[in-house]
Amino acid sequence: MTPTPLHGLRVLDLATLFAGPLAATMLGDFGAEVIKVEHPTRPDPSRGHGPTKDGVGLWWKLLGRNKRTVTLDLSSPGGRETLLLLASTADVIIENFRPGTLERWQLGWDELSAANPRLVLTRVTGFGQFGPYSHRPGFGTLAEAMSGFASITGEPEGPPTLPPFGLADSIAALATAYAVMTALTARTATGRGQVVDMAIIEPILTVLGPQPLWYDQLGYIQQRTGNRSRNNAPRNTYRTADGCWLAVSTSAQSIAERVMHLVGRPELIDEPWFATGSGRAEHADELDDAVGNWIARRTRSEAMSAFEKAEAAIAPIYDIRDVMEDPQYRALDTITEVLDPELGPLRMQNVLFRLSDTPGTIRWAGRPHGADTDAVLTELGLSLADITALRTQGAV
């Protein structure tokens, strides 16, 4: 069997919706043993999010992949003691309760680090563990609003626009997985675990680029520009003769010049303003007309072929049907097939990246609620009578 880079790492996923669980999924994809801990009667809400098939939530099949599933009521004495026992065997805990919740259950950092001084406790919340907003309920939507993302997204005359998917949560998940690996690397040097405090409002702000610096130094506030950019042009979406849409980018000067030659407007290259991206952006109407009119007279296939021959940057605007059939995605196995005992063959996103020697893998899709409770607790040394007692108490 090919070795996996995170083999031997044990992660307890106590989190729900969506940043924390997705970070745990990413770790599981590269070999970590992830144990998903859910409440006995209130499963992770992602099991019921979005479309279902035969009563089975499809989002969970993705988010819950490579995780063993157990049930524990952490607020009960039996659940608390069982979690401490699990924590003593774990490397990482990922949780997203409101600050103070674990402490109320006597499962805070003091208790967890006493049970396992090498533990990394990863706390993922909307606003972080301290500050005036820390006790507010927080979701990715609020981060997309407060970070400034929504204020710069949409048409200039339209309203601020929120993404129709979990953007801030997904960015926070990537940052959380990175934070976990950083803390584990530090543990190698110190021998001690530590607390990771991840606020969902922060990673998306980092991704938005130098806006704080612009405002600090220039008083500049970025405005909505639709599909255009204030940094270069032409940069937009353009409709083809057969009703398809294409996206063109000219971030590099050489690409912008190739596009102008291709669309029959080489004289624009000699304009003084054409020499910089910001100069071209100030003349976006003229450049968009040149590119848009040229593309509008051609089919998607014709325009794509001409741009590729000219070594200019272009891409079709896909819906998910196109993604599933695209030859580049197929070559990369970006959408891969997983055999699931409940639903049969499933196609879903593959692991995030390829490693030449120790690749990640999807071992299984999301499992039923509590499917591995007895097996995991037995591995901890609990007897059948112990597990039955916990179940009778409602702790599992």
Side-chain angles (χ1 to χ4, degrees):
M1 180 180 293
T2 304
T4 51
L6 301 184
H7 177 75
L9 190 73
R10 174 172 270 200
V11 178
L12 305 184
D13 174 9
L14 314 186
T16 58
L17 293 180
F18 283 99
L22 182 55
T25 302
M26 294 172 184
L27 299 174
D29 285 350
F30 286 89
E33 179 197 4
V34 180
I35 299 175
K36 176 70 176 181
V37 178
E38 299 173 84
H39 191 278
T41 60
R42 298 190 299 274
D44 188 315
S46 66
R47 291 182 180 273
H49 261 57
T52 64
K53 180 181 179 183
D54 300 335
V56 178
L58 296 177
W59 202 331
W60 167 252
K61 287 297 178 185
L62 174 67
L63 193 63
R65 72 188 190 193
N66 292 335
K67 299 179 183 181
R68 303 170 79 191
T69 61
V70 306
T71 59
L72 283 179
D73 180 355
L74 303 182
S75 67
S76 70
R80 174 186 180 275
E81 292 303 319
T82 305
L83 183 74
L84 287 173
L85 188 58
L86 267 174
S88 70
T89 71
D91 298 282
V92 179
I93 288 180
I94 300 176
E95 63 96 2
N96 71 337
F97 299 106
R98 288 199 212 178
T101 301
L102 284 184
E103 286 75 10
R104 189 171 70 249
W105 295 337
Q106 298 181 341
L107 286 170
W109 176 239
D110 290 344
E111 292 85 1
L112 291 170
S113 61
N116 182 356
R118 291 175 56 81
L119 184 71
V120 171
L121 174 61
T122 307
R123 317 194 79 165
V124 185
T125 57
F127 302 103
Q129 294 296 307
F130 57 91
Y133 304 161
S134 60
H135 288 278
R136 293 182 182 179
F139 299 98
T141 297
L142 308 188
E144 289 146 11
M146 289 180 60
S147 65
F149 171 85
S151 107
I152 64 170
T153 304
E155 294 300 321
E157 304 305 320
T161 302
L162 295 166
F165 64 99
L167 176 64
D169 276 307
S170 299
I171 295 171
L174 287 161
T176 299
Y178 169 44
V180 166
M181 298 312 299
T182 302
L184 290 172
T185 301
R187 186 182 72 174
T188 301
T190 67
R192 301 187 308 277
Q194 59 183 299
V195 177
V196 173
D197 179 5
M198 178 62 66
I200 296 173
I201 60 172
E202 292 182 304
I204 187 172
L205 186 57
T206 297
V207 170
L208 286 172
Q211 291 190 50
L213 185 60
W214 287 341
Y215 180 74
D216 175 63
Q217 295 296 303
L218 303 172
Y220 174 75
I221 300 173
Q222 186 172 342
Q223 303 298 310
R224 289 189 290 283
T225 57
N227 291 323
R228 288 179 172 177
S229 167
R230 291 192 182 273
N231 302 314
N232 68 82
R235 191 261 198 184
N236 213 325
T237 61
Y238 307 93
R239 193 168 190 176
T240 65
D242 53 350
C244 300
W245 288 90
L246 300 174
V248 172
S249 176
T250 56
S251 295
Q253 181 71 19
S254 60
I255 299 294
E257 293 177 5
R258 290 173 198 168
V259 170
M260 290 303 103
H261 281 292
L262 175 63
V263 302
R265 297 296 304 277
E267 75 279 3
L268 294 177
I269 299 172
D270 296 327
E271 295 288 345
W273 50 261
F274 197 90
T276 65
S278 58
R280 295 197 308 274
E282 292 175 1
H283 293 78
D285 287 344
E286 185 174 1
L287 294 172
D288 274 346
D289 284 344
V291 176
N293 289 334
W294 185 90
I295 288 178
R297 299 194 300 270
R298 290 160 176 82
T299 66
R300 183 173 86 171
S301 176
E302 290 168 344
M304 289 283 297
S305 177
F307 264 74
E308 290 174 12
K309 185 177 180 180
E311 297 185 359
I314 194 169
I317 293 179
Y318 280 169
D319 63 22
I320 192 59
R321 293 169 297 184
D322 301 310
V323 171
M324 301 290 268
E325 300 301 324
D326 181 85
Q328 181 62 31
Y329 281 130
R330 286 195 170 194
L332 296 173
D333 196 28
T334 306
I335 307 296
T336 196
E337 187 171 280
V338 180
L339 186 61
D340 180 66
E342 290 184 286
L343 298 178
L346 305 174
R347 288 194 291 168
M348 64 175 67
Q349 299 95 319
N350 209 336
V351 301
L352 273 174
F353 46 86
R354 285 162 292 281
L355 297 179
S356 61
D357 294 340
T358 56
T361 184
I362 302 172
R363 302 184 296 282
W364 60 81
R367 289 171 55 71
H369 181 229
D372 303 291
T373 300
D374 287 7
V376 170
L377 298 187
T378 299
E379 292 166 10
L380 288 175
L382 275 66
S383 67
L384 179 60
D386 295 330
I387 297 171
T388 301
L390 288 170
R391 190 163 277 124
T392 300
Q393 299 165 20
V396 302

